[in-house]
C-alpha cells in the first residue's frame, strides 16, 4: 500500500528550517521560522519560566491525565490575559474554554468544531496569511475563502478592500482575524480600524475567529489585545485561539488555548461540550507541563511582573532591529524606501522580496527567509544585520 503514497511537499516554513539545519555553510542565517532570538542568536529560556519550573519541581504533584479541557486555573488566567480581567469576569458564564497544544492545536479544534457544528460555513482568511491556516481548515473539511488585507503599493492595510469583502460574505461564515502582529505582513489595524472591522463583522452576521499568537510582541500586553476586546463586545459571539510559544518562549511545550464567547450561559455549556468532543477525538487531553508553568507565572504577582519585563525586552529588541535593518539598508544604498519596516509590528516583516530574490538569498548568501518574502526580524542580531542588508542589496540591485 505504501508504494502508492506520494511524498508531501516540504512545509513552507518548517521545511526551510530543516534545509537550514542541513546547510553546511558556517555563515548561514535563519530568518524563516518565527522564533525569537536574543542579541547572541539564542532562543532564551525566560527567567520567570525557570523560576516557575523550580517551584513546580519543588512541589511535585502527579502526572495523571488532565481533564479534556485542561487545567481550569490556566484557562481562567489566560482568559483574563486575553480578554481583560473585568471582561473575563463579566463573561465567565458565557465563555467556553479549553487548554490546547499550542495555537495550532487550538485552531484545529476550532476548525473541527466549525465543521461539526456550523454546517456549510466557510472560513475567510486574509490574503496573505500564515500558510498553515488553509491547511488546518482543509484537513478539518472546512472550505476557505480569502479577503483582501494588504496593499502592496503603500505597504499598509487594505481596509476598504477588507470591509467590502466582509460586506459580501454570507452570514454564518467564519472570518479569521489575526489579533496582533499579522503573520506574515506585520500590518495591524489601528483601534479605530478595529472598531470598523468589528462593526462590519457583527453587522454581517459573521463569526470572528481571532488567532492571537503574539500578545505583547507589538506594543504591549493590553494594547495588543485591543482588537480582540473590541470584537468581544457585550453580547457578541467570538472564537479565539491563543498561543504562548512566542511570548513565554515555550515553543516546544505546546501551550495554547481556545475560547468561545457565546450569547448565553446555556449556549456556552453546549459549545463547551462540543469543543471537548472535538478534543477527545483529536488528542484526548492536553499535555500538562507548559500550562502549569504559565499558570504559575500568571497567578503570582512577582513572576507576572517579571514576565511582563521579559516580554518588553523581546519586543524592544525586535523593534530596535527593525530600525537597525532600515539603517543598514540605507548604508548599503539599497534602492527603495524601506522605512515601512519600522511601522510593521511583531516578529515579521513583509519585505517585498520576490521568490527569485528569496532563492538567491538562500543559494548565494545562505540567508533563509520564507518564499513570500517574509523576514523574521526577531532572528536579526547586531552581528548579522549588516550581512543581511548587504545581501539584500545585492539581490535587489541584480
Ligand atoms: C511561523 O509563522 O513561523 C510560526 O508561527 C511558526 C510556525 O509554526 O509556522
Amino acid at each position: 500500500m505504501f508504494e502508492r503514497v506520494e511524498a508531501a511537499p516540504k512545509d513552507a516554513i518548517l521545511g526551510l528550517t530543516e534545509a537550514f539545519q542541513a546547510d553546511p555553510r558556517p555563515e548561514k542565517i535563519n530568518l524563516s521560522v518565527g522564533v525569537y532570538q536574543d542579541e547572541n542568536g539564542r532562543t532564551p529560556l525566560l527567567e520567570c519560566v525557570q523560576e516557575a519550573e523550580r517551584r513546580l519541581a519543588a512541589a511535585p504533584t502527579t502526572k495523571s491525565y488532565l481533564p479534556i479541557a485542561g487545567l481550569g486555573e490556566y484557562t481562567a488566567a489566560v482568559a483574563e490575559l486575553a480578554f481583560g480581567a473585568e471582561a473575563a469576569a463579566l463573561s465567565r458564564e458565557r465563555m467556553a474554554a479549553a487548554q490546547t497544544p499550542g495555537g495550532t492545536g487550538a485552531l484545529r479544534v476550532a476548525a473541527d468544531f466549525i465543521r461539526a457544528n456550523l454546517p456549510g460555513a466557510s472560513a475567510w482568511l486574509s490574503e496573505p496569511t500564515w500558510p498553515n491556516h488553509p491547511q488546518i481548515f482543509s484537513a478539518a473539511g472546512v472550505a476557505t475563502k480569502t479577503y483582501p488585507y494588504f496593499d502592496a503599493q503603500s505597504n499598509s492595510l487594505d481596509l476598504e478592500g477588507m470591509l467590502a469583502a466582509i460586506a459580501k460574505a454570507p452570514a454564518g461564515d467564519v472570518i479569521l482575524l489575526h489579533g496582533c502582529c499579522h503573520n506574515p505582513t506585520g500590518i495591524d489595524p489601528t483601534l479605530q480600524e478595529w472598531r470598523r472591522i468589528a462593526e462590519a463583522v457583527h453587522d454581517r452576521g459573521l463569526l470572528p475567529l481571532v488567532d492571537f499568537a503574539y500578545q505583547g510582541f507589538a506594543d504591549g500586553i493590553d494594547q495588543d489585545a485591543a482588537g480582540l476586546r473590541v470584537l468581544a463586545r457585550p453580547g457578541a459571539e467570538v472564537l479565539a485561539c491563543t498561543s504562548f510559544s512566542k511570548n513565554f518562549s515555550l515553543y516546544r511545550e505546546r501551550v495554547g488555548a481556545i475560547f468561545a464567547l457565546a450569547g448565553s450561559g446555556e449556549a456556552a455549556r453546549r459549545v463547551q461540550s462540543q469543543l471537548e468532543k472535538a478534543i477527545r477525538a483529536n488528542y484526548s487531553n492536553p499535555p500538562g507541563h507548559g500550562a502549569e508553568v504559565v499558570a504559575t507565572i500568571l497567578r503570582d504577582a512577582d513572576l507576572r511582573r517579571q514576565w511582563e519585563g521579559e516580554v518588553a525586552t523581546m519586543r524592544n529588541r525586535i523593534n530596535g532591529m527593525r530600525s537597525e535593518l532600515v539603517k543598514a539598508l540605507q548604508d548599503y544604498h539599497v534602492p527603495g524606501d524601506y522605512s515601512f519596516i519600522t511601522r510593521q509590528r511583531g516578529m515579521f516583516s513583509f519585505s517585498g522580496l520576490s521568490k527569485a530574490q528569496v532563492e538567491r538569498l538562500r543559494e548565494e548568501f545562505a540567508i533563509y527567509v520564507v518564499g513570500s518574502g517574509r523576514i523574521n526580524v526577531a532572528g536579526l542580531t547586531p552581528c548579522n544585520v549588516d550581512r543581511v542588508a548587504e545581501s539584500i542589496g545585492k539581490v535587489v540591485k541584480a
Side-chain angles (χ1 to χ4, degrees):
M1 303 277 250
F2 294 162
E3 294 307 314
R4 295 200 294 270
V5 174
E6 286 179 16
K10 286 277 184 208
D11 184 78
I13 296 173
L14 300 184
L16 280 172
T17 291
E18 284 173 28
F20 174 81
Q21 275 154 0
D23 190 333
R25 292 173 289 180
E27 73 277 18
K28 64 187 178 179
I29 300 171
N30 189 3
L31 303 178
S32 58
V33 67
V35 173
Y36 174 86
Q37 294 177 8
D38 63 18
E39 61 281 3
N40 301 312
R42 278 192 308 260
T43 300
L45 186 50
L46 300 188
E47 295 285 340
C48 60
V49 167
Q50 294 182 47
E51 175 55 22
E53 289 186 322
R54 276 193 287 273
R55 292 187 192 179
L56 290 167
T61 52
T62 177
K63 292 288 183 187
S64 179
Y65 291 126
L66 283 175
I68 294 175
L71 270 182
E73 61 257 40
Y74 164 82
T75 43
V78 181
E80 287 187 10
L81 189 68
F83 293 90
E86 204 180 320
L90 285 174
S91 53
R92 188 169 296 133
E93 267 304 293
R94 53 182 196 96
M95 176 114 63
Q99 177 197 329
T100 58
T104 304
L107 286 163
R108 180 56 194 260
V109 172
D112 286 343
F113 170 83
I114 291 163
R115 170 81 177 141
N117 299 284
L118 310 177
S122 297
W124 289 75
L125 310 179
S126 64
E127 173 52 44
T129 195
W130 182 45
N132 211 18
H133 279 149
Q135 295 200 123
I136 291 169
F137 288 101
S138 142
V142 177
T144 55
K145 294 181 181 153
T146 58
Y147 60 88
Y149 187 82
F150 179 63
D151 178 3
Q153 291 296 314
S154 58
N155 271 297
S156 60
L157 179 70
D158 179 5
L159 181 66
E160 296 311 321
M162 183 177 178
L163 293 175
I166 291 172
K168 287 200 216 110
D173 273 1
V174 174
I175 180 165
L176 193 148
L177 300 156
H178 300 220
C180 67
C181 307
H182 183 270
N183 181 1
T185 66
I187 308 283
D188 289 338
T190 61
L191 181 58
Q192 209 48 39
E193 288 167 338
W194 270 120
R195 291 201 177 111
R196 290 186 64 193
I197 293 165
E199 210 54 44
V201 164
H202 291 313
D203 281 357
R204 192 64 200 156
L206 303 179
L207 177 64
L209 163 54
V210 181
D211 184 355
F212 197 30
Y214 298 90
Q215 187 174 7
F217 268 45
D219 295 307
I221 307 280
D222 283 315
Q223 293 91 323
D224 293 359
L228 173 62
R229 294 177 188 177
V230 167
L231 285 157
R233 65 188 190 193
E237 292 182 333
V238 180
L239 273 173
C241 297
T242 66
S243 165
F244 291 126
S245 295
K246 328 281 175 176
N247 54 11
F248 276 81
S249 201
L250 278 171
Y251 303 85
R252 64 176 61 174
E253 296 294 354
R254 313 306 299 134
V255 202
I258 182 167
F259 298 95
L261 199 55
S264 66
E266 194 40 54
R269 283 187 282 282
R270 291 196 300 273
V271 170
Q272 179 76 36
S273 72
Q274 290 291 347
L275 292 178
E276 293 187 14
K277 185 174 172 208
I279 290 169
R280 177 65 171 144
N282 197 326
Y283 52 86
S284 193
N285 47 67
H289 182 70
E292 285 164 1
V293 168
V294 170
T296 303
I297 294 168
L298 292 181
R299 288 156 53 87
D300 180 282
D302 290 339
L303 286 180
R304 159 98 187 218
R305 214 169 302 116
Q306 188 177 17
W307 170 65
E308 288 183 12
E310 294 191 89
V311 175
T313 300
M314 293 193 277
R315 175 174 65 243
N316 294 338
R317 199 193 85 72
I318 298 171
N319 287 335
M321 287 321 299
R322 289 185 178 280
S323 308
E324 291 298 309
L325 178 60
V326 174
K327 186 174 164 302
L329 290 166
Q330 279 162 358
D331 292 348
Y332 284 103
H333 304 292
V334 181
D337 174 10
Y338 287 90
S339 58
F340 64 84
I341 293 175
T342 57
R343 295 193 296 276
Q344 297 169 335
R345 278 291 169 272
M347 292 181 122
F348 305 119
S349 174
F350 212 39
S351 62
L353 289 170
S354 70
K355 230 180 174 54
Q357 290 167 334
V358 166
E359 263 164 40
R360 251 200 91 191
L361 269 184
R362 185 169 64 244
E363 277 159 25
E364 277 179 47
F365 302 100
I367 295 173
Y368 286 68
V369 311
V370 175
S372 61
R374 187 194 85 172
I375 294 178
N376 175 27
V377 185
L380 288 173
T381 69
C383 298
N384 67 24
V385 67
D386 276 338
R387 198 166 81 73
V388 169
E390 187 183 12
S391 309
I392 291 177
K394 285 183 182 154
V395 302
V396 168
K397 285 178 198 159

